[in-house]
């Protein structure tokens, strides 16, 4: 029974072992995290929240929750420890997208205005794409990036005044530079807007002190747990204590039913791991590897969006160096060589999102596999060779 399914799981395990994984949003969880998410907690219904520690008020709608109550409370406490914060935390969002939906619905009404970064400039689908709930439910306006691909903070300031957003959103899926949360927070404050940070990609780096923190600046912070945080697929929401009720209501009953307590167990183990000194070392190495790989591409004559990287990823822009190749051509060619990455739009993109003129490369996953700088450099040379041979053919 189920032998076909388990055969496919076995095949995927081999694919993951044998391929070079450069998708910037992926990582490899520990055996402990896998054990936690594959356990009996998947059987438990636990709509609501753990019993309030101060008031003793019962928060669940089902019986038999005394153990998951302890688990979820522990998970919340651990995540506050990871980010050294007294922000309230909700560990129930099923994904990063669910976290964003719940966060928006907590403090906004449909039709309200959000100022965010466009998908084509590095933002996420849930940051206002027309095909996503965010673009359908809210009036979206977007700040620009400079021709080099840096966030245009002056444009945020201009648009905050002219568009009068209720919420300004920072955070991205394909942005290789430090984001100045302090500056955007000041703009939001001056214009009476909520400031929300979606730190999905860089959350691990923030936890490790390898990127400036949004805590203390943002009203609401959402994240995924499965990217640089190296946990199971899932989401988290942090908020200033005064927004706790709104955020919790926005998750349940606002946008979700029962929480995934097995996923919450996995998130708790992830938080424990992120508190270890080894996680700091890991994040440091991620940045070193990414910089080494990015620098090698530049030495090999490639153009990088913004000219470099501060975090776990960078974007190769093929527009001028390889005008006949699309991001999709490169992605497909590398797939055949067992190297996995994804095509990505570049600033001023002329091709469609299905083709694109660039690729995104991230080193979080391969650093988990033990990569050091020399491995990253060798891989850059190999990819450069493959791309240059394609150009000649
Ligand atoms: C990955 C990502 C998300 C969404 O995560 P899912 O778990 O795939 O829904 C949200 N925001 C940003 C910035 C992301 O990079």
């Amino acid at each position: 029974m189920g032998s076909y399914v388990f055969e496919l799981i076995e095949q995927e395990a081999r694919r993951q072992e044998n391929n070079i994984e450069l998708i910037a949003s992926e990582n490899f969880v520990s055996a402990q995290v896998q054990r936690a998410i594959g356990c009996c907690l998947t059987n438990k219904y636990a709509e609501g929240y753990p019993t309030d520690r101060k008031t003793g008020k019962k928060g669940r709608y089902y019986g038999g929750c005394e153990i998951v109550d302890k688990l979820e409370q522990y998970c919340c406490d651990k995540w506050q420890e990871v980010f050294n914060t007294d922000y309230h935390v909700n560990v129930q969002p099923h994904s990063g997208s669910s976290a964003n939906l719940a966060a928006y619905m907590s403090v906004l009404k449909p039709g309200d205005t959000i100022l965010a970064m466009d998908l084509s400039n590095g933002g996420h689908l849930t940051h206002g794409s027309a095909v996503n709930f965010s673009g359908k439910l809210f009036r979206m306006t977007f700040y620009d990036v400079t021709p080099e691909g840096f966030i245009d903070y002056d444009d945020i300031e201009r648009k905050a005044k002219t568009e009068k957003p209720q919420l300004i959103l920072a955070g991205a899926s394909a942005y290789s530079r430090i984001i100045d949360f302090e500056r955007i927070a000041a703009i939001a404050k001056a214009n009476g807007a909520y400031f929300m940070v979606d730190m999905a990609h860089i959350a691990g780096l923030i936890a490790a002190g390898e990127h400036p923190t949004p805590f203390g600046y943002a009203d609401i912070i959402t994240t995924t747990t499965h990217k640089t945080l190296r946990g199971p697929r899932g989401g988290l929401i942090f908020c200033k204590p005064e927004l706790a009720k709104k955020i919790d209501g926005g998750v349940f009953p606002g946008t979700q039913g029962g929480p995934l307590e097995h996923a919450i167990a996995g998130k708790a183990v992830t938080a424990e791991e992120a508190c270890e000194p080894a996680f700091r070392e890991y994040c440091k190495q991620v940045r070193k590897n990414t910089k080494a790989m990015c620098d090698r591409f530049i030495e090999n004559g490639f153009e990088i969006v913004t000219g470099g990287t501060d975090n776990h990823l960078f974007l190769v822009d093929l527009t001028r160096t390889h005008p006949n190749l699309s991001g999709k051509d490169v992605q497909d060619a590398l797939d055949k060589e067992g190297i996995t990455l994804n095509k990505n739009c570049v600033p001023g993109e002329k091709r469609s999102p299905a083709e694109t003129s660039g690729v995104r490369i991230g080193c979080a996953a391969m650093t988990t596999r033990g990569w050091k700088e020399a491995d990253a450099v060798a891989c850059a040379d190999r990819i450069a060779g493959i791309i240059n041979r394609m150009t000649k053919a």
Side-chain angles (χ1 to χ4, degrees):
M1 207 169 62
S3 65
Y4 180 58
V5 174
F6 290 105
E7 187 190 311
L8 290 179
I9 293 172
E10 206 34 60
Q11 283 178 22
E12 172 64 9
R14 278 200 296 278
R15 188 197 67 79
Q16 290 186 12
E17 261 165 45
N18 297 331
N19 276 37
I20 294 180
E21 182 52 74
L22 300 175
I23 295 177
S25 47
E26 291 193 10
N27 215 323
F28 299 108
V29 298
S30 68
Q32 293 287 85
V33 168
Q34 272 205 42
R35 193 175 147 213
I37 59 176
C39 77
C40 66
L41 285 159
T42 196
N43 299 330
K44 187 71 198 100
Y45 242 113
E47 279 181 359
Y49 291 100
T51 303
D52 192 299
R53 270 184 295 198
K54 283 191 209 108
T55 63
K57 190 167 170 274
K58 292 247 187 306
R60 303 284 193 186
Y61 290 79
Y62 290 86
C65 286
E66 56 283 356
I67 296 161
V68 292
D69 264 16
K70 285 186 195 155
L71 173 71
E72 195 170 326
Q73 191 59 61
Y74 175 73
C75 186
C76 293
D77 293 346
K78 265 321 223 195
W79 279 109
Q80 286 182 322
E81 189 182 328
V82 170
F83 291 102
N84 189 21
T85 183
D86 59 0
Y87 274 41
H88 173 73
V89 54
N90 186 307
V91 297
Q92 293 190 359
H94 302 330
S95 68
S97 298
S98 310
N100 285 347
L101 173 62
Y104 297 152
M105 296 308 280
S106 302
V107 294
L108 302 176
K109 299 183 299 299
D112 280 354
T113 301
I114 299 176
L115 176 58
M117 190 190 231
D118 203 350
L119 181 63
S120 62
N121 285 330
H124 187 255
L125 207 58
T126 55
H127 297 187
S129 167
V131 296
N132 180 259
F133 67 79
S134 52
K136 293 177 203 280
L137 281 175
F138 302 103
R139 179 179 162 262
M140 296 302 311
T141 56
F142 299 103
Y143 46 85
D144 290 330
V145 293
T146 64
E148 300 77 40
F150 288 92
I151 290 175
D152 185 344
Y153 293 93
D154 293 333
D155 194 50
I156 301 180
E157 194 149 15
R158 261 192 308 276
K159 290 197 172 127
K161 289 203 183 93
T162 56
E163 304 291 339
K164 304 197 184 327
Q166 277 77 31
L167 186 144
I168 299 177
L169 178 59
S173 302
Y175 189 69
S176 62
R177 294 302 191 164
I178 283 170
I179 302 176
D180 189 346
F181 297 128
E182 188 176 357
R183 181 153 180 206
I184 307 175
I187 297 170
K189 192 158 190 211
N191 291 276
Y194 283 110
F195 178 38
M196 172 168 152
V197 170
D198 176 352
M199 62 174 184
H201 260 267
I202 54 173
L205 303 183
I206 289 169
E210 292 291 316
H211 186 289
T213 186
F215 287 91
Y217 298 113
D219 298 299
I220 303 168
I221 301 169
T222 58
T223 186
T224 56
T225 40
H226 49 271
K227 295 176 184 173
T228 51
L229 277 174
R230 206 162 56 175
R233 312 198 73 76
L236 303 171
I237 307 179
F238 296 87
C239 64
K240 290 196 167 156
E242 59 268 29
L243 292 174
K245 254 204 153 87
K246 282 192 170 143
I247 290 292
D248 284 351
V251 176
F252 172 86
T255 54
Q256 288 188 176
L260 312 177
E261 291 295 340
H262 58 299
I264 288 172
K267 289 172 187 174
V269 175
T270 303
E272 289 179 336
E273 292 176 356
C275 289
E276 292 293 319
F279 186 74
R280 267 178 181 256
E281 288 312 307
Y282 161 71
C283 288
K284 273 201 173 63
Q285 193 62 48
V286 168
R287 282 186 65 204
K288 281 188 201 159
N289 290 346
T290 310
K291 183 162 189 318
M293 194 173 184
C294 180
D295 287 349
R296 190 61 162 201
F297 268 97
I298 295 169
E299 282 167 28
N300 280 319
F302 285 78
E303 282 194 11
I304 305 298
V305 174
T306 74
T309 175
D310 300 321
N311 59 23
H312 64 299
L313 67 83
F314 59 93
L315 300 164
V316 179
D317 185 347
L318 302 159
T319 311
R320 275 179 293 268
T321 58
H322 300 77
N324 299 328
L325 290 181
S326 71
K328 181 175 185 298
D329 295 333
V330 171
Q331 178 183 315
D332 291 347
L334 292 176
D335 251 338
K336 293 203 187 84
E337 305 272 340
I339 300 174
T340 316
L341 49 62
N342 62 279
K343 59 183 184 267
N344 216 97
C345 291
V346 295
E349 181 63 70
K350 301 277 188 305
R351 290 188 174 92
S352 76
E355 289 289 324
T356 79
S357 306
V359 291
R360 186 182 67 162
I361 296 179
C363 291
M366 292 314 289
T367 305
T368 297
R369 280 277 153 89
W371 259 21
K372 294 285 187 285
E373 289 95 318
D375 305 296
V377 166
C379 187
D381 285 346
R382 200 176 143 203
I383 294 174
I386 294 167
I387 295 176
N388 288 332
R389 280 196 294 282
M390 289 169 72
T391 320
K392 287 203 194 86

